[in-house]
């Protein structure tokens, strides 16, 4: 084989490698934009449904597509296309209305036209209290070994969706609220950790979330690692990964 032929063969191999990489990146972009996007949980506002260090897949097609479905909002779609309404009880990712550079994840509690109010920790929808049953405490342990028991409740929404919430006190800042009237085309979102969640109860920060801001519905946990443990430290996985949470659906 001549030097020229050898050079052409190497160039051909490099070209094929670049082509494969470009194709893989395009496929990943399509999957991320139209099908599933991974997210990780940085705060405890959805305890104990979601914990800090959880990684989950969000289905991008569940509610159709808006400009926020695309990276950096580059596709200027007005409203939504192939839109489907979020359901009460869905755990959804959305762009924060007051700062669309920030992604939030909360539970859909109020639908367009609903009135929502919290009284002594109990959510009221259209004047009716949501069914709420006290169950076993949520037990968490600090790094120093101190144990704290947090009251846990099972809530059941009018459509039958049930989930657990944490409520350390019924006299917290957001446990007794004004009555909120959800505008058309908007949704009222709340975190499951009721005393540690900045959500639609705080109108100046979150408020009512437009349907356009929804990015997708949380579907399944594919990874979970203990708080403050970097996921890339593979050698710590045997004791730092929360194996029992993997594959949990939401």
């Amino acid at each position: 084989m001549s030097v020229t032929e050898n050079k052409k063969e190497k160039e051909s191999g490099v070209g094929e490698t670049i082509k494969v990489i470009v194709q893989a990146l395009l496929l990943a972009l399509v999957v991320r934009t139209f099908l599933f996007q991974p997210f990780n949980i940085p705060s405890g506002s959805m305890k104990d449904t979601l914990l800090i260090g959880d990684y989950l897949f969000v289905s991008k097609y569940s509610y159709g597509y808006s400009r926020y479905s695309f990276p950096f909002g580059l596709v200027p779609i007005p409203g939504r296309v192939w839109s489907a309404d979020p359901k009460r009880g869905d755990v959804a990712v959305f762009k924060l209305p007051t700062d669309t550079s920030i992604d939030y994840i909360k539970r859909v509690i109020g639908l367009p036209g609903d009135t929502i109010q919290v009284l002594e920790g109990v959510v009221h929808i259209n004047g009716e209290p949501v069914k709420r049953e006290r169950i076993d405490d949520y037990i968490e342990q600090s790094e120093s070994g101190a144990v704290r028991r947090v009251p846990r409740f099972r809530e059941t929404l009018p459509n039958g969706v049930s989930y657990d919430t944490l409520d350390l006190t019924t006299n917290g800042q957001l446990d007794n609220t004004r009555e909120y009237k959800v505008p058309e085309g908007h949704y009222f979102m709340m975190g499951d950790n009721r005393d540690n969640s900045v959500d639609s109860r705080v109108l100046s920060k979150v408020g009512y979330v437009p349907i356009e801001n929804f990015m997708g519905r949380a579907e399944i946990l594919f990874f979970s690692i203990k708080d403050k443990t970097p996921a890339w430290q593979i050698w710590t996985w045997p004791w730092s990964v929360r194996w029992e949470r993997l594959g949990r659906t939401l």
Side-chain angles (χ1 to χ4, degrees):
M1 180 182 294
S2 68
V3 173
T4 302
E5 289 175 336
N6 187 46
K7 182 178 180 181
K8 287 183 178 179
E9 185 175 317
K10 287 182 178 179
E11 289 176 348
S12 175
V14 171
E16 285 299 315
T17 300
I18 293 174
K19 184 192 296 185
V20 169
I21 292 173
V22 170
Q23 289 174 340
L25 290 174
L26 288 174
L27 178 60
L29 180 62
V30 169
V31 171
R32 181 188 182 280
T33 300
F34 294 101
L35 299 177
F36 295 97
Q37 182 174 344
F39 286 88
N40 73 290
I41 304 302
S43 76
S45 69
M46 285 292 292
K47 280 185 179 180
D48 64 327
T49 305
L50 296 172
L51 303 178
I52 297 173
D54 281 349
Y55 290 75
L56 52 89
F57 283 121
V58 168
S59 59
K60 301 294 287 293
Y61 52 83
S62 294
Y63 308 131
Y65 304 94
S66 74
R67 64 193 177 105
Y68 296 119
S69 302
F70 298 87
F72 311 109
L74 293 177
V75 181
I77 297 175
R80 298 193 80 85
V81 296
W82 301 316
S83 180
D85 294 335
K87 295 181 175 59
R88 205 189 304 275
D90 284 357
V91 176
V93 173
F94 58 92
K95 290 292 186 179
L96 184 64
T98 54
D99 184 352
T100 55
S101 67
I102 299 175
D103 300 333
Y104 260 40
I105 184 166
K106 305 290 180 186
R107 190 179 297 277
V108 178
I109 297 295
L111 306 181
D114 282 346
T115 58
I116 306 293
Q117 188 173 21
V118 183
L119 298 172
E120 296 183 353
V122 179
V123 177
H124 289 64
I125 301 177
N126 298 324
E128 295 294 326
V130 169
K131 182 181 176 183
R132 188 174 189 244
E133 176 188 4
R134 176 69 184 268
I135 56 176
D136 57 305
D137 290 346
Y138 175 69
I139 300 174
E140 55 185 5
Q141 187 171 3
S142 67
E143 292 182 354
S144 64
V147 173
R148 184 172 73 156
R149 306 181 70 94
V150 182
R152 180 161 45 182
F153 298 82
R154 171 58 59 91
E155 280 188 0
T156 303
L157 295 172
N159 62 347
V161 175
S162 294
Y163 49 89
D164 295 347
T165 65
L166 304 184
D167 198 4
L168 189 60
T169 173
T170 58
N171 294 311
Q173 184 178 1
L174 297 175
D175 281 325
N176 291 278
T177 71
R178 50 163 282 188
E179 186 176 81
Y180 304 92
K181 178 71 173 179
V182 186
E184 288 301 318
H186 293 69
Y187 292 82
F188 195 91
M189 314 294 291
M190 293 181 69
D192 291 349
N193 190 359
R194 293 292 162 76
D195 292 319
N196 187 28
S197 175
V198 177
D199 49 41
S200 290
R201 293 172 290 178
V202 184
L203 294 179
S204 61
K205 179 69 173 180
V206 181
Y208 310 113
V209 179
I211 181 62
E212 179 185 21
N213 287 43
F214 279 74
M215 299 177 66
R217 184 178 64 210
E219 300 288 353
I220 189 170
L221 296 178
F222 67 88
F223 190 68
S224 181
I225 194 163
K226 291 178 182 177
D227 189 11
K228 299 181 180 179
T229 305
W232 55 267
Q233 292 183 356
I234 299 176
W235 59 89
T236 70
W237 284 10
W239 61 86
S240 63
V241 171
R242 303 184 186 106
W243 299 102
E244 73 282 359
R245 294 184 65 79
L246 272 58
R248 182 176 297 188
T249 55
L250 300 168

